[in-house]
């Protein structure tokens, strides 16, 4: 393995560069975990969690909200103005149903007129947060991350959450202030569970050790309410990774969650992190097992320098290529990527012919 000093004096290796790029690619592709790019997801019913898109060309503001699956965004809405919605739970693809006046789904045209159980929000018209602004927002010059509420699934600016965003936010879940107030019993849990793992070991038992619906001697929620732990009931709440396993599963609490449409909180596989992890498991093998990486490590210093510079040039061109799609609000299809690399291959061949 060789090292090369870059302009910022940070020492990196060729394998470091490739591994970093693999990690970025893995994170991006994890969003599409379980999402089929070739077949409409409608036949699967209300999918537990999937990547979704809203078509501004077919359903502009002032119209009826609609959402389409990954495959339909490619096959039926190519060239349209699409909003990427990241993932949503329990959603059935709308593409080509009665809400679309002039469009028939190319992949699965025979669909019900409506999907009554789908839930829509301002996100389906390209607006987010309590400020109801687009993202990215051309009028907002403040750099700020967007964080998704696990209940309403809206995305909020960190500065609009009404609380301090923790450093380990990637491993936590957030419930916005509006949803906390709508389901006020969550404040009781927040007083004991938010921010610190295993704070209620003496009161609660992880759900993995209990049968769902087992009442036990007492209702955990009532026990926590009796403790009367004080908490400021304002702002969003960040929850540690194990918080769902600490929720009470007695019959009374399960009924309450069902009435509030929150039964998914008892499902630890519902989390976006669990969804992304499933996607990462389907990714290609580690670089350590790749014979190409072993071969690169055996090249001479000069050969590796040539490769890393060529690789960086290609990555820069690919970034510019993808940014052009983002600027025009277009979805990048597999054919677009293949076309890019085909052009790169022709340039390489032409360059060899010229130098030869």
């Amino acid at each position: 393995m060789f090292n090369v000093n870059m302009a910022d004096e940070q020492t990196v290796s060729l394998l470091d560069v490739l591994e970093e790029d693999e990690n970025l690619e893995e994170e991006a592709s994890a969003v599409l975990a379980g999402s089929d790019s070739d077949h409409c997801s409608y036949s699967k019913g209300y999918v537990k969690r999937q990547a979704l898109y809203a078509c501004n060309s077919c359903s502009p503001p002032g119209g009826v909200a609609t959402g389409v699956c990954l495959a339909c965004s490619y096959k039926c809405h190519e060239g349209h103005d699409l909003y990427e919605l990241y993932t949503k739970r329990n959603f059935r693809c709308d593409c080509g149903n009665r809400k679309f006046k002039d469009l028939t789904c190319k992949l699965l045209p025979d669909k019900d007129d409506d999907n009554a159980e789908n839930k829509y929000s301002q996100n389906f018209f390209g607006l987010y947060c309590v400020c109801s602004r687009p993202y990215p927002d051309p009028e907002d010059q403040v750099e700020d991350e967007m964080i998704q509420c696990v209940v309403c699934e809206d995305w909020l600016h960190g500065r609009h959450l009404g609380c301090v965003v923790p450093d380990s936010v990637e491993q936590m879940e957030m419930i916005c202030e509006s949803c906390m107030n709508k389901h006020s019993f969550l404040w009781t849990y927040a007083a004991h569970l938010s921010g610190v793992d295993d704070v209620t070991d003496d009161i609660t038992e992880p759900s993995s050790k209990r049968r769902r619906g087992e009442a036990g001697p007492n209702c955990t929620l009532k026990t926590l309410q009796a403790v009367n732990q004080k908490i400021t009931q304002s702002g969003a709440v960040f929850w540690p990774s194990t918080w769902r396993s600490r929720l009470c599963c007695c019959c009374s609490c399960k009924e309450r969650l069902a009435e509030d449409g929150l039964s998914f909180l008892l499902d630890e596989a519902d989390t976006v992190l669990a969804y992304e992890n499933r996607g990462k498991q389907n990714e290609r093998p580690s670089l350590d097992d790749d014979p190409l990486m072993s071969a690169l490590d055996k090249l001479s210093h000069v050969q590796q320098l040539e490769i890393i510079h060529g690789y960086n040039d290609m990555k820069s061109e690919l970034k510019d290529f993808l940014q052009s799609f983002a600027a025009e609000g277009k979805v990048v299809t597999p054919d677009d990527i293949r076309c890019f690399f085909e052009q790169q291959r022709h340039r390489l061949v032409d360059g060899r012919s010229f130098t030869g």
Side-chain angles (χ1 to χ4, degrees):
M1 181 179 295
F2 87 100
N3 292 326
V4 54
N5 265 322
M6 309 302 282
D8 58 1
E9 297 185 353
Q10 180 181 10
T11 301
V12 297
S13 71
L14 175 59
L15 296 187
D16 289 335
V17 173
L18 294 176
E19 286 171 352
E20 178 184 0
D21 193 62
E22 182 196 40
N23 291 335
L24 292 174
E25 180 182 346
E26 184 182 79
E27 291 175 6
S29 61
V31 177
L32 306 181
S35 297
D36 192 331
S37 62
D38 297 315
H39 304 93
C40 177
S41 66
Y42 177 86
S43 59
K44 299 179 182 179
Y46 293 89
V47 179
K48 187 172 183 176
R49 184 170 292 283
Q50 64 175 316
L52 281 183
Y53 299 81
C55 184
N56 186 45
S57 301
C58 297
S59 304
V64 180
T66 61
V68 302
C69 68
L70 176 66
C72 287
S73 74
Y74 289 159
K75 311 297 182 182
C76 307
H77 299 267
E78 182 180 4
H80 290 193
D81 182 14
L82 295 176
Y83 300 124
E84 292 189 51
L85 303 179
Y86 196 59
T87 71
K88 300 287 186 184
R89 69 168 63 89
N90 300 331
F91 198 94
R92 197 177 196 184
C93 180
D94 285 323
C95 183
N97 67 14
R98 184 180 58 182
K99 293 182 176 181
F100 292 83
K101 296 181 180 179
D102 302 313
L103 183 138
T104 300
C105 181
K106 298 177 181 178
L107 300 176
L108 199 60
D110 186 15
K111 296 180 178 178
D112 292 341
D113 288 344
D114 192 14
N115 295 313
E117 296 181 33
N118 282 355
K119 294 183 179 180
Y120 305 92
S121 67
Q122 62 175 352
N123 295 175
F124 289 80
F125 295 109
L127 300 177
Y128 307 89
C129 191
V130 293
C131 60
S132 296
R133 295 294 302 170
Y135 183 83
D137 187 347
E139 297 180 8
D140 186 3
Q141 302 302 316
V142 179
E143 291 188 9
D144 198 358
E145 62 181 323
M146 300 288 284
I147 303 173
Q148 189 177 36
C149 172
V150 300
V151 174
C152 66
E153 297 194 295
D154 194 2
W155 290 84
L156 291 86
H157 295 99
R159 64 184 185 275
H160 293 157
L161 292 176
C163 68
V164 177
V165 178
D167 294 334
S168 57
V169 63
E170 294 83 4
Q171 301 298 319
M172 306 181 78
E173 292 192 292
M174 183 274 289
I175 299 181
C176 70
E177 181 178 8
S178 176
C179 288
M180 290 295 297
N181 291 333
K182 182 178 179 181
H183 311 288
S184 57
F185 69 93
L186 290 174
W187 286 113
T188 298
Y189 284 118
H192 298 271
L193 302 179
S194 64
V196 181
D197 277 330
D198 303 325
V199 72
T200 57
D201 278 347
D202 56 337
I203 298 177
T204 67
E205 183 179 17
S207 61
S208 59
K209 298 181 180 178
R210 293 174 283 150
R211 293 191 300 273
R212 292 292 185 183
E214 180 181 338
N218 294 297
C219 169
T220 301
L221 180 59
K222 289 182 179 179
T223 302
L224 294 176
Q225 290 171 335
V227 173
N228 196 28
Q229 179 76 26
K230 298 296 183 180
I231 185 175
T232 301
Q233 296 187 6
S234 66
V237 175
F238 284 87
W239 306 79
S241 58
T242 61
W243 79 283
R244 293 194 188 211
S245 68
R246 301 289 174 178
L247 297 179
C248 182
C249 296
C250 75
C251 293
S252 176
C253 284
K254 287 183 69 176
E255 290 177 3
R256 177 199 289 260
L257 289 171
E259 290 173 358
D260 282 13
L262 299 178
S263 295
F264 60 84
L265 289 181
L266 296 179
D267 181 6
E268 294 173 63
D270 166 80
T271 68
V272 173
L273 182 60
Y275 172 87
E276 291 180 343
N277 286 337
R278 289 194 296 272
K280 291 177 181 179
Q281 290 173 1
N282 296 328
E283 290 301 298
R284 62 181 181 274
S286 165
L287 285 173
D288 294 336
D289 302 324
D290 193 334
L292 175 60
M293 296 300 101
S294 298
L296 287 173
D297 203 25
K298 297 176 182 178
L299 295 178
S300 70
H301 178 83
V302 174
Q303 289 172 319
Q304 290 197 353
L305 275 176
E306 291 176 348
I307 290 176
I308 196 171
H309 287 305
Y311 176 81
N312 284 333
D313 289 342
M314 183 275 293
K315 188 165 68 171
S316 178
E317 291 179 11
L318 178 59
K319 180 181 179 181
D320 292 339
F321 175 75
L322 295 176
Q323 284 180 336
S324 68
F325 282 83
E328 297 177 11
K330 295 181 179 179
V331 173
V332 183
T333 68
D335 288 339
D336 294 323
I337 299 298
R338 280 193 290 269
C339 181
F340 171 83
F341 284 107
E342 185 65 19
Q343 292 175 352
Q344 294 292 312
R345 187 182 69 81
H346 284 306
R347 286 177 55 184
L348 180 61
V349 172
D350 293 341
R352 286 177 176 172
S353 298
F354 178 77
T355 56

